[in-house]
Amino acid sequence: MSTLRTTRPIGPLVIDIDGVVKLYQMGTETIHALRGISLKIHRNEYLAIMGPSGSGKSTLMNMLGCLDTPTAGRYEFNGKNVAAMVDDELADIRNREIGFVFQTFNLLPRSDALRNVELPLIYAGIPSDQRRERAQQVLEEVGLGNRMHHKPNELSGGQRQRVAIARALVNKPSIILADEPTGNLDSQTGIEIMALFEELYKLGNTIIVVTHEEDIARHARRVVRLRDGLIESDGSVS
Amino acid sequence: MNTFYYEFRESVRIAFAQITAHKMRSVLTALGVIIGIVAVTLMGMAITGMDTSFESSLAMLGDDVIYVQKWPWGPVVDWWNYTNRPPLQPIVATELNKLIEAAPSTLLDVAVPVRVRSGTVKRGDNSVGGVYMAGTSGDYGRIITADFREGRLFTETEAESACAVCVLGCDVADALFTNVPAVGQTIQVRGYPFQVIGVLARQGSFLGLFSFDTQMILPIKAFEKDFGGKNIGAEIRVKVKDKKRLEEAKEELIGLMRRVRGQLPGESDNFSINGEEAFKEQLDPVKKGIAIAGLFVTGLALFVGAIGIMNITFVSVKERTKEIGTRKALGAKRRTILLQFLIESISVSVIGGIVGIILSSSLCLLIGHIFPKLPISFSPVLVVVSLLVSAGTGIVAGFAPAWGASRLDPVVALRYE
Ligand SMILES: Nc1ncnc2c1ncn2[C@@H]1O[C@H](COP(=O)(O)OP(=O)(O)OP(=O)(O)O)[C@@H](O)[C@H]1O
Ligand SMILES: [Mg+2]
């Protein structure tokens, strides 16, 4: 069984970073959050990024998600040079190509599930009837067809994260980035969320999950381990 | 373009959700704008009201009548240059009329002498005080701007023979004669009886200070006989033929007056030529001053309102930093965030503006109900101006916080707790 998993998925290259460095200036001190990371991620990979606290996982994630640009190094996303892009161009890439799932869900408190899921489509300029249709479809896919008009505070933690996942999926992004997606959930709900990711992966999505729990990382097909801003190991799950 | 429209709609929706979620805070913030807009509209109403009352008051003076008097209208510093002028006697009017008749292409129509005093008019136990009494000639009918409600003016003959007849302003007549028609009745001034032969129609008051409806007009000869005051002098009112050529008419009148007075060339006029534009000159700076002071006060009120909005928008941006980060992660551009917070500040401000308009228009109705004579009105222009001003306040106040929000680094914003 495990030998099957060692075969790498062969899809087109989505993420190609090379020698990426990220420095933070704290007063006079320079913090090396990333010291030279090189990574290639293909379509329909399921990848976990692991490492101890402070190793640079979130920093790398922000970089991959085009929320941030590297201090040095090269970053190509679907062949486009992201490192040279300005704010609004990055916003466009994030909107069309990347789906974010946060540890704290980050839903808009005053909007119901449907409107939360519709939000990326608004920024993409999709007309409202198409928006509604697509958002309903994705909410049904994550099993919330009967919770569309609930506000976040009327949903359980697991349901909130499902809404967030639906929101990440709604624009049919190239990759889904999840930073500690189960960090705020009890273990049973966490398992359910990971099962949902598994399902999405099987449907052909590309998923990158940041976690420091081995149990969670075990769901992925490939694990990248960071330590002190460097890749310590990168390999298939055995 | 579509994107912009969808973003706009979503921003409006979020803005209203935000306002209703923080009702108390929104109300308090809007209060500043409400006060500002009430100040703006009340000021606007006061200024337009002042203008209309001013214009109609000037019309009452007669815009085709020139006043020849000893003193000029308006403030005088060098009073010593005026005090020794000879008083104007009714004979001056007679002389002027002779000259006017002799001049073939004159711009002047007729000169009328008027003697003025204030007094009490009695009928039985009823009396009206502070009546403006004007003794004049039979020509007065040619320069008068008011209509007669009943009766007529005295004739030339009645005037010349010092007939004890009079015409009353409507307020005087109404106060003295409640049930019977005034014409034909007799009234008394300082014990002298006068027969009422006419009542003037309502004219209103001059700038709310001086009522034209509490006057009494009587023959100047009767005035002199009963009230004396011959040495005080009179004023001469001269009607012009064409009010569009008022300035030329004045020049002609000055020439005629100097001939009547026998003044030498080089000597300065020993009389003053007054007209309604003297009032305009007097009142224009006052009006301007009131407008500037009003603008300043309303500007201050709006400024305070704007600071309130700016403050609350800063708070809102701070509170929702994480939301801003999330929105940016989902693809919101800078202008999207800018627009969102601007729409919030504009919404609060315009809601305040609308409430302000409703408040001040009802206030206007109320004032109009209590003081029907005040010439205030709520114009649609004021509504438009108020809406624009409140929207502008929202933009100005919301811009700095909204700009800051739009510039937030998404990573920093997402980390914000
Ligand atoms: N905005 C910042 N300013 C300064 N230093 C930062 C900033 N963001 C991250 N760092 C530093 O960079 C390093 C990597 O941080 P990062 O958040 O990527 O760690 P992490 O692996 O995600 O840790 P955790 O598991 O605790 O989330 C840390 O030393 C952190 O202090
Ligand atoms: Mg982290």
Side-chain angles (χ1 to χ4, degrees):
Chain A
M1 212 31 203
S2 57
T3 49
L4 268 179
R5 286 189 175 177
T6 55
T7 47
R8 281 280 174 82
I10 307 152
L13 194 58
V14 180
I15 284 173
D16 182 4
I17 65 174
D18 190 21
V20 159
V21 171
K22 184 69 191 183
L23 304 179
Y24 287 111
Q25 202 69 42
M26 295 277 285
T28 54
E29 199 185 351
T30 305
I31 294 162
H32 295 257
L34 300 176
R35 294 167 189 272
I37 302 265
S38 299
L39 198 61
K40 282 182 170 45
I41 300 171
H42 294 80
R43 182 165 300 273
N44 200 23
E45 275 200 87
Y46 189 171
L47 181 131
I49 297 174
M50 293 204 66
S53 188
S55 57
K57 303 184 296 293
S58 295
T59 308
L60 177 59
M61 201 65 155
N62 292 337
M63 207 71 66
L64 296 179
C66 299
L67 286 166
D68 212 350
T69 47
T71 313
R74 191 172 54 82
Y75 180 15
E76 279 179 16
F77 190 100
N78 279 341
K80 278 172 270 180
N81 179 13
V82 172
M85 284 186 178
V86 299
D87 265 22
D88 281 355
E89 290 172 315
L90 290 172
D92 226 36
I93 295 267
R94 291 196 294 268
N95 182 242
R96 288 168 207 287
E97 308 281 6
I98 297 161
F100 287 95
V101 178
F102 303 96
Q103 180 176 354
T104 51
F105 321 132
N106 293 20
L107 299 176
L108 303 190
R110 312 209 188 291
S111 303
D112 62 16
L114 200 60
R115 289 207 185 272
N116 264 289
V117 175
E118 273 187 49
L119 193 59
L121 298 173
I122 290 175
Y123 297 146
I126 310 289
S128 74
D129 44 345
Q130 290 176 40
R131 246 166 27 212
R132 185 127 301 208
E133 199 179 317
R134 171 71 185 146
Q136 281 171 348
Q137 184 193 338
V138 188
L139 275 169
E140 269 156 23
E141 278 171 28
V142 300
L144 286 179
N146 53 350
R147 292 285 187 279
M148 306 235 190
H149 296 293
H150 288 235
K151 298 254 171 74
N153 60 4
E154 297 157 357
L155 294 168
S156 72
Q159 288 170 332
R160 288 183 208 182
Q161 196 60 303
R162 281 169 193 271
V163 175
I165 291 170
R167 183 177 66 183
L169 287 169
V170 76
N171 260 352
K172 299 187 172 136
S174 297
I175 57 168
I176 292 164
L177 291 177
D179 193 346
E180 308 265 14
T182 60
N184 277 20
L185 301 173
D186 61 64
S187 56
Q188 182 51 40
T189 317
I191 289 167
E192 283 169 29
I193 292 296
M194 292 321 289
L196 178 58
F197 277 124
E198 181 70 27
E199 212 178 301
L200 296 173
Y201 166 63
K202 288 196 171 133
L203 287 169
N205 289 289
T206 312
I207 298 170
I208 305 172
V209 177
V210 167
T211 183
H212 52 253
E213 288 177 60
E214 294 292 345
D215 281 354
I216 300 297
R218 204 168 298 134
H219 290 85
R221 301 300 188 272
R222 177 184 168 194
V223 175
V224 172
R225 287 176 200 278
L226 296 185
R227 183 174 295 276
D228 288 336
L230 285 169
I231 293 181
E232 187 186 47
S233 72
D234 177 1
S236 307
V237 173
S238 53
Chain B
M1 207 54 229
N2 277 347
T3 318
F4 182 81
Y5 171 64
Y6 301 143
E7 285 173 0
F8 181 82
R9 265 200 352 205
E10 136 90 8
S11 297
V12 171
R13 198 182 63 76
I14 291 288
F16 279 87
Q18 203 62 28
I19 288 168
T20 43
H22 302 283
K23 289 191 189 70
M24 197 56 185
R25 156 169 133 182
S26 308
V27 165
L28 289 178
T29 311
L31 203 59
V33 182
I34 294 173
I35 293 169
I37 289 298
V38 168
V40 165
T41 45
L42 288 185
M43 193 54 68
M45 268 159 37
I47 289 172
T48 45
M50 228 166 60
D51 252 7
T52 34
S53 86
F54 181 59
E55 289 303 323
S56 60
S57 293
L58 284 183
M60 278 182 233
L61 283 182
D63 50 7
D64 55 356
V65 176
I66 306 170
Y67 291 69
V68 185
Q69 285 164 309
K70 180 171 168 181
W71 294 87
W73 290 351
V76 163
V77 185
D78 49 342
W79 52 270
W80 51 90
N81 285 330
Y82 300 89
T83 189
N84 286 330
R85 286 175 166 184
L88 286 153
Q89 293 301 349
I91 186 75
V92 175
T94 319
E95 297 287 326
L96 277 176
N97 281 333
K98 274 186 203 154
L99 291 173
I100 290 168
E101 258 161 55
S105 60
T106 179
L107 292 167
L108 306 175
D109 187 18
V110 67
V112 176
V114 181
R115 280 190 193 278
V116 171
R117 74 189 302 278
S118 162
T120 303
V121 180
K122 283 191 187 147
R123 176 187 175 248
D125 291 338
N126 291 346
S127 73
V128 180
V131 175
Y132 174 88
M133 300 181 178
T136 184
S137 73
D139 287 330
Y140 193 65
R142 288 165 69 180
I143 66 163
I144 203 165
T145 54
D147 294 325
F148 276 82
R149 193 171 76 186
E150 5 170 350
R152 57 172 180 88
L153 191 69
F154 39 83
T155 61
E156 197 83 39
T157 335
E158 283 169 321
E160 280 309 307
S161 56
C163 240
V165 292
C166 70
V167 171
L168 296 179
C170 61
D171 280 348
V172 182
D174 291 347
L176 296 180
F177 305 96
T178 34
N179 294 320
V180 277
V183 173
Q185 305 287 327
T186 306
I187 51 127
Q188 254 146 18
V189 181
R190 301 176 93 193
Y192 299 100
F194 289 88
Q195 196 193 5
V196 181
I197 57 165
V199 176
L200 295 172
R202 179 166 296 280
Q203 278 182 284
S205 66
F206 181 73
L207 299 177
L209 301 172
F210 169 83
S211 173
F212 283 91
D213 299 319
T214 57
Q215 62 175 326
M216 167 178 163
I217 305 165
L218 61 160
I220 194 163
K221 291 264 168 65
F223 187 104
E224 288 164 356
K225 190 177 82 185
D226 293 344
F227 310 144
K230 269 191 168 176
N231 49 345
I232 298 169
E235 64 186 43
I236 314 292
R237 299 187 192 171
V238 183
K239 186 182 156 82
V240 303
K241 283 182 171 152
D242 181 1
K243 59 184 167 195
K244 291 190 193 83
R245 296 171 71 188
L246 201 63
E247 282 310 309
E248 290 168 68
K250 268 187 191 172
E251 289 306 315
E252 183 188 346
L253 180 57
I254 290 170
L256 296 187
M257 274 302 295
R258 292 180 69 90
R259 270 173 67 192
V260 171
R261 279 279 163 92
Q263 291 198 282
L264 299 169
E267 220 179 320
S268 60
D269 299 345
N270 58 10
F271 52 88
S272 287
I273 300 288
N274 297 323
E276 58 163 21
E277 75 285 352
F279 273 101
K280 262 190 192 135
E281 276 165 32
Q282 284 294 302
L283 281 172
D284 269 349
V286 176
K287 264 173 27 181
K288 235 177 245 164
I290 291 174
I292 288 170
L295 269 180
F296 184 74
V297 170
T298 54
L300 214 62
L302 271 174
F303 183 69
V304 172
I307 288 181
I309 290 181
M310 189 183 285
N311 180 47
I312 222 65
T313 313
F314 269 121
V315 169
S316 186
V317 167
K318 201 84 190 160
E319 280 176 350
R320 288 152 70 203
T321 304
K322 195 154 190 166
E323 178 191 319
I324 296 167
T326 307
R327 285 176 180 274
K328 288 202 157 194
L330 299 180
K333 297 201 169 76
R334 283 180 173 179
R335 64 130 207 270
T336 316
I337 304 292
L338 182 78
L339 192 72
Q340 187 188 333
F341 284 96
L342 270 186
I343 286 176
E344 279 192 38
S345 63
I346 293 170
S347 301
V348 174
S349 188
V350 168
I351 288 173
I354 291 171
V355 174
I357 290 168
I358 294 171
L359 266 183
S360 53
S361 57
S362 20
L363 217 60
C364 170
L365 280 178
L366 191 73
I367 294 172
H369 194 71
I370 300 173
F371 309 102
K373 279 184 184 168
L374 282 187
I376 56 167
S377 65
F378 202 79
S379 64
V381 178
L382 267 180
V383 175
V384 174
V385 167
S386 307
L387 284 179
L388 288 180
V389 165
S390 55
T393 307
I395 292 174
V396 169
F399 195 80
W403 179 257
S406 76
R407 296 267 141 174
L408 276 176
D409 180 342
V411 175
V412 174
L414 278 170
R415 275 170 169 266
Y416 187 84
E417 290 303 328

